[in-house]
């Protein structure tokens, strides 16, 4: 990257690093280097950064906690913006909690519980940040973010900020439709007053259930595929007999067929090739076109992989 841009970025953002391996920033533990990793300390510093990026025409990517990401081996060109600094968390009158986008989702779940507010229990055990959860409309059988989000605070690619109320938000299955380049700064959640012990019990039993059903001892990125209209992607992959299928250091989990685990030596190319194999075999045997739920970002080191059908 241009020396002038490097020194201007250093002057703009206190916490900025260069050539950062994304494998250290993602739960899959794969991914090549980001040219720049900027961690603005607050929305003001973020705004300055976004306006600079816009002025220079640099590409940027917003990073939550990297738990739903496959970063390719060639890394990410431009600026990765890590929003951890947006960490405000507070109860507001009327059963609302406001959370900054950088707050870990598990912390929000426990914060609601400690304040005897119910509604977020469904998110127990889902890793990631609040911003990532909102953008992905993260959820489970018991509920999803769209059920509890009252409003979001959004920065556009010009650095302007506005609040958008729930009625104007279009959530869908594992997605929230937002204008290109938008950054979620935080969200307000509408919850109800509940019984603390009952909330605690629910939270703990959902976390416990995950421990028995998910391969949490190996690097992964949660469910790889969205559930097709015909049923659970995990069940379909299992029925096709793909549990244990391997490509290099990547393997379809023996415990949960919709998880791919990294045995420690996987590259993004291994994972992507395995994703491709699973899609191809499921399509061949069942005529079902699986769609990845994980976000695949960055540059390929060398071209090989196709995602089809
Ligand atoms: C073990 C495990 C279990 C999981 N279980 C579930 C589950 O039950 N349900 C579920 O829905 N998901 C699950 N996931 C997936 C993942 O945890 C969620 O999708 C989570 O919400 C992603 O948050 P993140 O901060 O890690 O986002 P990242 O992975 O960092 O980013 C995901 C996407 O959101 C964008 N993004 C992130 N933050 C912002 C922001 N502030 N503004 C704009 N864009 C942003 C990124 O650019 C990217 O496109 C699981 C993952 C793991 C590893």
């Amino acid at each position: 990257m241009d020396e002038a841009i490097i020194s201007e970025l250093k002057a703009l953002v206190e916490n900025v690093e260069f050539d950062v391996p994304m494998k250290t920033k993602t739960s899959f533990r794969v991914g090549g280097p980001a040219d720049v990793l900027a961690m603005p300390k607050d929305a003001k510093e973020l705004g300055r950064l976004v306006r600079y990026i816009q002025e220079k025409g640099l590409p940027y990517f917003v990073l939550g906690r990297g738990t739903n990401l496959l970063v390719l081996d060639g890394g990410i060109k431009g600026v990765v913006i890590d929003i951890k600094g947006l960490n405000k968390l507070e109860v507001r009158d009327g059963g609302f909690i406001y959370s900054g986008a950088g707050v870990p989702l598990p912390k929000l779940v426990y914060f609601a519980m400690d304040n005897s507010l119910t509604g977020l229990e469904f998110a127990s055990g889902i890793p990631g940040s609040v911003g990532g959860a909102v953008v992905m409309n993260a959820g489970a059988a018991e509920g999803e973010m769209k059920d509890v989000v009252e409003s979001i605070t959004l920065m556009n690619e010009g650095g302007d900020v506005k609040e958008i109320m729930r009625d104007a938000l279009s959530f869908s299955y594992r997605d929230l439709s937002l204008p290109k380049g938008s950054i979620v700064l935080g969200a307000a959640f509408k919850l109800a007053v509940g019984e603390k012990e009952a909330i605690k019990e629910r939270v703990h039993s959902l976390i416990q259930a995950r421990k028995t059903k998910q391969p949490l001892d190996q690097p992964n990125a949660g469910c790889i595929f969205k559930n097709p209209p015909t049923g659970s992607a995990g069940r379909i992959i299992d029925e096709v007999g793909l549990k244990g299928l391997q490509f290099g250091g990547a393997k379809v989990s023996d415990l949960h067929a919709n998880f791919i685990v990294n045995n420690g030596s996987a590259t993004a190319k291994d994972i992507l090739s395995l994703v491709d194999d699973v899609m191809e075999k499921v399509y061949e045997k069942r005529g079902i076109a699986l769609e990845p739920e994980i976000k695949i970002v960055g540059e390929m080191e060398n071209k090989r992989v196709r995602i089809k059908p």
Side-chain angles (χ1 to χ4, degrees):
M1 177 160 282
D2 190 277
E3 284 302 322
I5 292 186
I6 291 180
S7 51
E8 281 163 6
L9 282 167
K10 282 181 179 165
L12 265 178
V13 184
E14 222 172 275
N15 200 346
V16 61
E17 293 170 24
F18 300 88
D19 219 18
V20 179
M22 289 300 292
K23 61 164 65 174
T24 63
K25 303 286 168 192
T26 60
S27 59
F28 242 149
R29 297 283 175 259
V30 298
D35 287 342
V36 181
L37 180 74
M39 292 153 278
K41 62 175 183 291
D42 52 27
K44 217 165 144 189
E45 204 174 75
L46 174 63
R48 282 202 296 269
L49 173 67
V50 166
R51 280 187 284 273
Y52 176 81
I53 286 173
Q54 186 72 11
E55 186 191 310
K56 297 288 171 187
L58 299 172
Y60 68 97
F61 174 77
V62 185
L63 175 70
R65 299 254 155 181
T67 65
N68 205 42
L69 284 187
L70 176 59
V71 178
L72 300 179
D73 301 314
I76 302 183
K77 298 273 163 263
V79 184
V80 172
I81 304 177
D82 182 331
I83 45 78
K84 268 194 205 75
L86 307 177
N87 55 11
K88 188 191 243 186
L89 186 56
E90 63 187 22
V91 175
R92 291 182 177 170
D93 288 346
F96 292 97
I97 287 180
Y98 175 84
S99 170
V103 171
L105 185 60
K107 185 170 176 182
L108 171 65
V109 170
Y110 281 112
F111 184 73
M113 179 182 95
D114 289 341
N115 285 283
S116 303
L117 290 170
T118 180
L120 271 164
E121 294 88 316
F122 72 85
S124 307
I126 303 180
S129 65
V130 168
V134 168
V135 170
M136 294 302 302
N137 187 21
E142 301 78 15
E144 49 190 2
M145 296 310 281
K146 79 165 172 38
D147 305 332
V148 283
V149 169
E150 180 65 16
S151 66
I152 65 170
T153 315
L154 203 66
M155 182 177 280
N156 68 15
E157 55 186 356
D160 302 319
V161 177
K162 66 175 174 186
E163 190 180 10
I164 306 179
M165 302 308 291
R166 60 175 294 135
D167 293 348
L169 293 171
S170 21
F171 283 106
S172 55
Y173 175 49
R174 299 297 166 264
D175 193 37
L176 166 62
S177 170
L178 292 172
K180 191 179 146 289
S182 302
I183 304 176
V184 173
L185 303 185
F189 297 91
K190 173 83 180 117
L191 304 170
V193 175
E195 166 55 45
K196 191 169 175 172
E197 280 312 308
I199 300 171
K200 201 177 200 168
E201 210 169 288
R202 189 80 192 118
V203 167
H204 289 160
S205 80
L206 286 170
I207 291 175
Q208 215 37 50
R210 278 174 183 267
K211 286 185 183 157
T212 61
K213 290 185 200 145
Q214 299 181 351
L216 302 179
D217 56 340
Q218 281 176 295
N220 68 77
C223 286
I224 297 291
F225 300 103
K226 293 183 179 177
N227 290 325
T230 43
S232 143
R235 189 178 42 74
I236 295 164
I237 298 166
D238 193 5
E239 284 168 4
V240 172
L242 301 181
K243 269 187 176 167
L245 185 71
Q246 266 178 282
F247 196 107
K251 180 178 167 187
V252 175
S253 164
D254 294 314
L255 194 59
H256 190 316
N258 200 8
F259 276 58
I260 286 178
V261 292
N262 171 1
N263 73 5
S265 68
T267 59
K269 191 172 151 193
D270 292 341
I271 295 170
L272 207 46
S273 301
L274 187 56
V275 167
D276 207 32
D277 277 359
V278 170
M279 287 170 75
E280 205 165 287
K281 292 192 163 80
V282 167
Y283 192 69
E284 245 170 53
K285 300 226 165 109
R286 299 285 296 271
I288 297 168
L290 290 177
E291 190 194 329
E293 177 181 319
I294 50 166
K295 301 285 182 195
I296 301 167
V297 295
E299 314 278 321
M300 268 191 264
E301 214 157 39
N302 43 44
K303 295 198 170 56
R304 171 275 174 231
V305 183
R306 65 215 137 92
I307 290 279
K308 59 171 208 161

